[in-house]
Coordinates of all heavy atoms in Angstrom, one line a residue:
Q167 N -25.0 34.2 -5.0 CA -25.6 34.3 -6.4 C -26.2 33.0 -7.0 O -27.1 32.9 -7.5 CB -24.7 35.0 -7.4 CG -25.3 35.4 -8.7 CD -24.4 35.8 -9.7 OE1 -23.3 35.2 -10.0 NE2 -24.6 37.1 -10.2
R168 N -25.4 31.9 -6.7 CA -25.7 30.7 -7.2 C -26.7 29.9 -6.3 O -27.1 28.8 -6.6 CB -24.4 29.7 -7.4 CG -23.5 30.3 -8.6 CD -24.3 30.1 -9.9 NE -23.3 30.6 -10.9 CZ -23.3 31.8 -11.4 NH1 -24.1 32.8 -11.0 NH2 -22.4 32.0 -12.5
G169 N -27.0 30.4 -5.2 CA -27.9 29.8 -4.2 C -27.2 28.6 -3.6 O -27.9 27.6 -3.3
A170 N -25.9 28.5 -3.5 CA -25.1 27.4 -2.9 C -25.3 27.1 -1.6 O -25.3 28.0 -0.8 CB -23.7 27.5 -3.3
A171 N -25.6 25.9 -1.2 CA -25.5 25.5 0.2 C -24.1 25.2 0.6 O -23.5 24.3 0.2 CB -26.4 24.2 0.4
F172 N -23.6 26.1 1.5 CA -22.3 25.8 2.0 C -22.3 26.2 3.4 O -23.0 27.1 3.9 CB -21.3 26.7 1.1 CG -21.4 28.3 1.4 CD1 -20.5 28.8 2.2 CD2 -22.4 28.9 0.7 CE1 -20.7 30.2 2.3 CE2 -22.5 30.3 0.8 CZ -21.7 30.9 1.7
D173 N -21.2 25.6 4.2 CA -21.0 25.9 5.5 C -19.8 26.9 5.6 O -18.8 26.7 5.0 CB -20.7 24.6 6.3 CG -21.9 23.8 6.5 OD1 -23.0 24.4 6.8 OD2 -21.8 22.6 6.6
W174 N -20.0 28.0 6.4 CA -19.0 29.0 6.5 C -18.4 28.7 7.9 O -19.2 28.9 9.0 CB -19.6 30.4 6.5 CG -18.5 31.5 6.3 CD1 -17.3 31.5 6.8 CD2 -18.8 32.7 5.7 NE1 -16.6 32.6 6.5 CE2 -17.5 33.5 5.8 CE3 -19.8 33.4 5.0 CZ2 -17.3 34.8 5.3 CZ3 -19.6 34.6 4.5 CH2 -18.4 35.2 4.6
L175 N -17.2 28.2 7.9 CA -16.5 27.9 9.2 C -15.5 28.9 9.6 O -14.9 29.6 8.7 CB -15.8 26.6 9.0 CG -16.7 25.4 8.5 CD1 -16.0 24.1 8.2 CD2 -18.0 25.2 9.3
F176 N -15.1 28.9 10.8 CA -14.2 29.9 11.3 C -12.9 29.2 11.9 O -13.2 28.3 12.8 CB -14.8 31.0 12.3 CG -15.7 31.8 11.5 CD1 -17.2 31.5 11.6 CD2 -15.3 32.9 10.9 CE1 -18.1 32.3 10.9 CE2 -16.2 33.7 10.1 CZ -17.6 33.5 10.2
Y177 N -11.8 29.7 11.6 CA -10.6 29.1 12.2 C -10.5 29.0 13.6 O -10.1 28.0 14.2 CB -9.4 29.9 11.6 CG -8.0 29.7 12.2 CD1 -7.1 28.8 11.4 CD2 -7.6 30.3 13.3 CE1 -5.9 28.5 12.0 CE2 -6.3 30.1 13.8 CZ -5.5 29.2 13.2 OH -4.2 28.9 13.7
E178 N -11.0 30.1 14.2 CA -10.9 30.2 15.8 C -11.8 29.2 16.4 O -11.4 28.7 17.4 CB -11.2 31.6 16.2 CG -10.2 32.7 15.8 CD -10.3 33.2 14.4 OE1 -11.2 32.8 13.6 OE2 -9.5 34.1 14.0
D179 N -12.9 28.9 15.8 CA -13.8 27.8 16.4 C -13.2 26.4 16.3 O -13.5 25.6 17.2 CB -15.2 27.9 15.6 CG -15.9 29.2 15.8 OD1 -15.5 30.0 16.7 OD2 -16.8 29.5 14.9
L180 N -12.5 26.1 15.1 CA -12.0 24.8 14.9 C -10.7 24.6 15.7 O -10.4 23.4 16.0 CB -11.8 24.5 13.4 CG -13.1 24.6 12.5 CD1 -12.7 24.5 11.1 CD2 -14.1 23.5 12.9
F181 N -9.9 25.7 15.8 CA -8.6 25.5 16.4 C -8.4 26.4 17.6 O -7.2 26.5 18.0 CB -7.6 25.7 15.3 CG -7.6 24.8 14.1 CD1 -8.2 25.3 13.0 CD2 -7.2 23.6 14.2 CE1 -8.3 24.5 11.9 CE2 -7.3 22.7 13.0 CZ -7.8 23.3 11.9
G182 N -9.5 26.8 18.2 CA -9.4 27.6 19.4 C -8.9 26.7 20.6 O -9.0 25.5 20.6
A183 N -8.6 27.4 21.7 CA -8.1 26.7 22.8 C -9.3 25.8 23.5 O -8.9 24.7 24.0 CB -7.6 27.7 23.9
A184 N -10.5 26.2 23.4 CA -11.6 25.5 23.9 C -12.6 25.2 22.8 O -12.9 25.9 22.0 CB -12.3 26.3 25.0
G185 N -12.9 23.8 22.9 CA -14.1 23.4 22.0 C -13.7 23.1 20.5 O -14.5 22.7 19.7
G186 N -12.4 23.1 20.2 CA -12.0 22.8 18.8 C -12.3 21.4 18.4 O -12.8 21.2 17.3
T187 N -12.0 20.5 19.2 CA -12.2 19.1 19.0 C -13.7 18.9 18.6 O -14.2 18.1 17.6 CB -11.8 18.1 20.1 OG1 -10.4 18.3 20.2 CG2 -12.1 16.7 19.7
A188 N -14.6 19.4 19.5 CA -16.1 19.2 19.3 C -16.5 19.8 18.0 O -17.3 19.3 17.2 CB -16.8 19.8 20.6
A189 N -16.0 21.0 17.7 CA -16.4 21.7 16.5 C -16.0 21.0 15.2 O -16.7 20.8 14.3 CB -15.7 23.2 16.5
R190 N -14.7 20.4 15.3 CA -14.2 19.6 14.2 C -15.0 18.4 13.9 O -15.3 18.0 12.8 CB -12.7 19.3 14.3 CG -11.8 20.5 14.2 CD -10.4 20.2 14.2 NE -9.8 19.5 15.3 CZ -9.3 20.1 16.5 NH1 -9.4 21.4 16.5 NH2 -8.8 19.4 17.4
N191 N -15.3 17.7 15.1 CA -16.2 16.6 15.0 C -17.6 16.8 14.4 O -18.2 16.0 13.7 CB -16.2 15.9 16.3 CG -15.0 15.1 16.6 OD1 -14.4 14.4 15.7 ND2 -14.6 14.9 17.8
R192 N -18.1 17.9 14.7 CA -19.4 18.4 14.2 C -19.4 18.4 12.8 O -20.3 18.1 12.0 CB -20.0 19.6 14.9 CG -20.6 19.5 16.2 CD -21.3 20.8 16.6 NE -20.5 22.0 16.7 CZ -19.8 22.4 17.7 NH1 -19.9 21.6 18.8 NH2 -19.1 23.5 17.8
V193 N -18.3 19.1 12.2 CA -18.2 19.1 10.7 C -18.0 17.8 10.1 O -18.7 17.4 9.1 CB -16.8 19.9 10.4 CG1 -16.7 20.0 8.8 CG2 -17.0 21.4 11.0
A194 N -17.1 16.9 10.7 CA -16.9 15.5 10.2 C -18.3 14.7 10.2 O -18.7 14.1 9.2 CB -16.0 14.8 11.1
T195 N -19.1 14.8 11.3 CA -20.3 14.1 11.4 C -21.3 14.6 10.3 O -22.0 13.7 9.7 CB -21.0 14.4 12.8 OG1 -20.0 13.8 13.8 CG2 -22.2 13.5 12.9
K196 N -21.3 15.9 10.0 CA -22.2 16.4 9.0 C -21.9 15.9 7.7 O -22.7 15.7 6.7 CB -22.2 17.9 9.0 CG -23.3 18.5 8.1 CD -23.3 20.0 8.3 CE -24.4 20.7 7.4 NZ -24.6 22.1 7.7
L197 N -20.6 15.6 7.5 CA -20.2 15.0 6.1 C -20.2 13.6 6.1 O -19.8 13.0 5.0 CB -18.7 15.5 5.9 CG -18.4 17.0 5.8 CD1 -17.0 17.3 5.6 CD2 -19.2 17.5 4.5
G198 N -20.8 12.9 7.2 CA -20.8 11.4 7.2 C -19.6 10.7 7.5 O -19.4 9.6 7.2
L199 N -18.7 11.5 8.2 CA -17.4 10.9 8.5 C -17.4 10.6 9.9 O -18.1 11.3 10.7 CB -16.3 11.8 8.2 CG -16.1 12.4 6.7 CD1 -15.0 13.4 6.6 CD2 -15.9 11.2 5.8
A200 N -16.5 9.7 10.3 CA -16.5 9.3 11.7 C -15.8 10.4 12.6 O -14.9 11.0 12.3 CB -15.6 8.0 11.9
A201 N -16.4 10.6 13.8 CA -15.9 11.5 14.8 C -14.8 10.8 15.5 O -14.9 9.6 15.7 CB -17.0 12.0 15.7
Q202 N -13.8 11.5 16.0 CA -12.8 10.8 16.9 C -12.2 11.9 17.9 O -12.3 13.0 17.7 CB -11.7 10.3 16.0 CG -10.9 11.3 15.3 CD -9.9 10.7 14.4 OE1 -10.2 9.7 13.7 NE2 -8.8 11.2 14.2
R203 N -11.7 11.3 19.0 CA -11.1 12.1 19.9 C -9.6 12.6 19.6 O -8.9 11.6 19.2 CB -11.1 11.5 21.3 CG -10.6 12.3 22.4 CD -10.7 11.6 23.8 NE -10.1 12.5 24.9 CZ -10.8 13.5 25.5 NH1 -12.0 13.7 25.0 NH2 -10.3 14.0 26.5
D204 N -9.3 13.7 19.5 CA -7.9 14.1 19.3 C -7.0 13.6 20.3 O -7.3 13.7 21.5 CB -7.7 15.7 19.2 CG -8.4 16.2 17.9 OD1 -8.8 15.4 17.0 OD2 -8.6 17.4 17.9
A205 N -5.8 13.0 19.9 CA -4.9 12.4 20.8 C -4.4 13.5 21.7 O -4.1 13.4 22.8 CB -3.8 11.6 20.1
T206 N -4.0 14.7 21.1 CA -3.4 15.9 21.9 C -4.2 17.1 21.3 O -4.6 17.2 20.2 CB -1.9 15.9 21.5 OG1 -1.7 16.1 20.1 CG2 -1.2 14.7 22.1
P207 N -4.2 18.1 22.2 CA -4.8 19.4 21.8 C -4.0 19.9 20.6 O -2.8 19.8 20.5 CB -4.7 20.2 23.0 CG -4.5 19.3 24.2 CD -3.8 18.2 23.6
S208 N -4.7 20.6 19.7 CA -4.1 21.1 18.5 C -3.3 22.3 18.8 O -3.7 23.2 19.4 CB -5.1 21.4 17.4 OG -5.5 22.6 17.4
R209 N -2.1 22.4 18.3 CA -1.2 23.6 18.4 C -1.1 24.2 17.1 O -0.5 23.4 16.1 CB 0.2 23.1 19.0 CG 0.2 22.7 20.4 CD 1.6 22.3 20.9 NE 2.4 23.5 21.1 CZ 3.6 23.6 20.8 NH1 4.2 22.7 20.0 NH2 4.3 24.7 21.0
T210 N -1.4 25.3 16.9 CA -1.5 26.0 15.7 C -0.3 26.8 15.4 O 0.5 27.1 16.3 CB -2.7 26.9 15.5 OG1 -2.5 28.0 16.3 CG2 -4.0 26.1 15.9
F211 N 0.0 27.1 14.1 CA 1.1 28.0 13.7 C 1.0 29.3 14.5 O 2.1 29.8 14.9 CB 1.0 28.2 12.2 CG 2.1 29.0 11.6 CD1 3.3 28.3 11.3 CD2 2.2 30.4 11.6 CE1 4.4 29.2 10.8 CE2 3.2 31.1 11.1 CZ 4.3 30.4 10.7
R212 N -0.1 29.9 14.7 CA -0.3 31.1 15.3 C 0.1 31.0 16.8 O 0.8 31.8 17.3 CB -1.8 31.6 15.3 CG -2.1 32.1 14.0 CD -3.6 32.7 14.1 NE -4.3 32.7 12.7 CZ -5.4 33.1 12.6 NH1 -6.2 33.6 13.7 NH2 -6.1 33.0 11.5
D213 N -0.3 29.9 17.5 CA 0.1 29.7 18.8 C 1.6 29.7 19.0 O 2.2 30.3 19.9 CB -0.4 28.3 19.3 CG -2.1 28.2 19.4 OD1 -2.6 29.3 19.6 OD2 -2.6 27.2 19.2

Side-chain angles (χ1 to χ4, degrees):
Q167 184 185 59
R168 294 294 184 266
F172 68 99
D173 286 324
W174 194 332
L175 309 174
F176 294 95
Y177 172 93
E178 291 82 0
D179 297 339
L180 296 176
F181 300 102
T187 299
R190 293 193 293 275
N191 278 331
R192 282 195 296 273
V193 176
T195 300
K196 186 169 183 178
L197 295 175
L199 306 176
Q202 66 185 40
R203 183 177 180 82
D204 290 347
T206 57
S208 94
R209 293 180 74 226
T210 71
F211 185 87
R212 292 187 199 177
D213 297 332

